[in-house]
Amino acid sequence: MKADSMIFDLDGTLWDSIAPVTESWNQVIERRLGKEARICEQDIHDCMGMVMEDIGRKLFPQLPEEEMLSVLRECCSYENEYVAKTGGRLFDGVEETLKELSQRMPLFIVSNCQDGYIEAFFEAHGLQKYFKDYENPGRSGFAKAENIALVMERNALKQPVYVGDTKGDCEASKKAGVPFVFAAYGFGEVKDSECAGKIHAFRELTKIETI
């Protein structure tokens, strides 16, 4: 496989932030809804790859829409502050591989996250220097496929690949017309027949040739 650039999902592809995200959300949830409404790490795991509004409906189905959105906004805002300080668990070889790849081709992030979350990732681990651009629905208002296309247009990319770990990532890549590389070590499952490539460790991305 050859590419002129690489676009990454974030959660389940570059890092695992489930523990600090759960911790931060529970601080807000306990204050807003009481201890009995607390969530567990599996709840956050099951929401990976979903857009924020769908996460809110899944985790807080008992709440009226307006209250659910209010709790969700507060959770996300505090999450950004919390994760920027605590960081998450980078997958093995992420920084070394990003350093090598960035010397060969431009790198980007497109994630289904709230505005400020990618910045929190950068702040926690000092990795912004490896990326040329990034996008998310919290900032652009667009879904993942449209954000992939937006990053491609903004940066004049001709033949990128998208690296992600969920079926939603795969579907967004197809919609954007970009080959999908499945990060099998992440949170989701994707059939081999739907992928242009598959990696079991982040370091395997160095095998992709530069155009």
Side-chain angles (χ1 to χ4, degrees):
M1 184 186 304
K2 294 183 178 182
D4 70 348
S5 53
M6 232 176 261
I7 308 173
F8 297 91
D9 174 49
L10 181 46
D11 292 323
T13 302
L14 295 171
W15 75 345
D16 176 355
S17 65
I18 287 178
V21 168
T22 305
E23 292 163 7
S24 67
W25 279 45
N26 274 331
Q27 291 186 38
V28 174
I29 290 168
E30 186 171 332
R31 177 164 46 80
R32 290 285 304 266
L33 304 175
K35 290 184 178 181
E36 65 280 359
R38 287 171 61 91
I39 60 175
C40 65
E41 290 186 12
Q42 187 63 47
D43 292 324
I44 293 294
H45 179 280
D46 293 344
C47 292
M48 286 298 172
M50 297 170 64
V51 296
M52 283 298 150
E53 290 78 4
D54 290 339
I55 291 174
R57 295 184 186 101
K58 181 179 177 64
L59 296 181
F60 312 116
Q62 77 279 14
L63 298 181
E65 184 83 358
E66 187 175 338
E67 184 179 2
M68 178 273 287
L69 291 173
S70 174
V71 172
L72 186 65
R73 283 192 294 269
E74 191 170 343
C75 284
C76 290
S77 177
Y78 183 59
E79 171 192 326
N80 287 345
E81 297 177 27
Y82 192 89
V83 170
K85 295 175 182 177
T86 66
R89 179 178 66 86
L90 294 177
F91 290 113
D92 290 343
V94 161
E95 180 159 14
E96 300 91 329
T97 304
L98 289 175
K99 182 178 180 180
E100 179 178 342
L101 289 172
S102 67
Q103 293 170 352
R104 293 166 39 197
M105 65 178 77
L107 308 179
F108 308 87
I109 296 177
V110 173
S111 172
N112 268 346
C113 61
Q114 71 272 18
D115 190 21
Y117 183 73
I118 296 174
E119 292 89 338
F121 165 74
F122 289 151
E123 184 176 341
H125 296 285
L127 299 179
Q128 185 167 2
K129 59 190 173 185
Y130 299 119
F131 296 95
K132 298 294 186 182
D133 194 5
Y134 59 92
E135 199 52 86
N136 59 71
R139 187 171 73 168
S140 71
F142 299 130
K144 180 166 280 187
E146 288 71 28
N147 281 329
I148 292 172
L150 184 61
V151 165
M152 289 173 63
E153 180 181 1
R154 253 187 342 229
N155 296 277
L157 309 183
K158 301 299 183 184
Q159 196 169 329
V161 295
Y162 186 83
V163 185
D165 68 306
T166 67
K167 186 172 179 59
D169 291 336
C170 180
E171 292 170 349
S173 298
K174 287 183 178 179
K175 189 174 180 181
V178 175
F180 176 67
V181 177
F182 176 46
Y185 54 82
F187 300 135
E189 294 183 7
V190 180
K191 294 179 181 178
D192 288 352
S193 59
E194 298 183 53
C195 309
K198 183 177 182 179
I199 58 171
H200 296 278
F202 196 79
R203 291 184 180 89
E204 293 175 25
L205 289 172
T206 59
K207 297 177 182 178
I208 294 178
E209 298 180 32
T210 307
I211 294 175

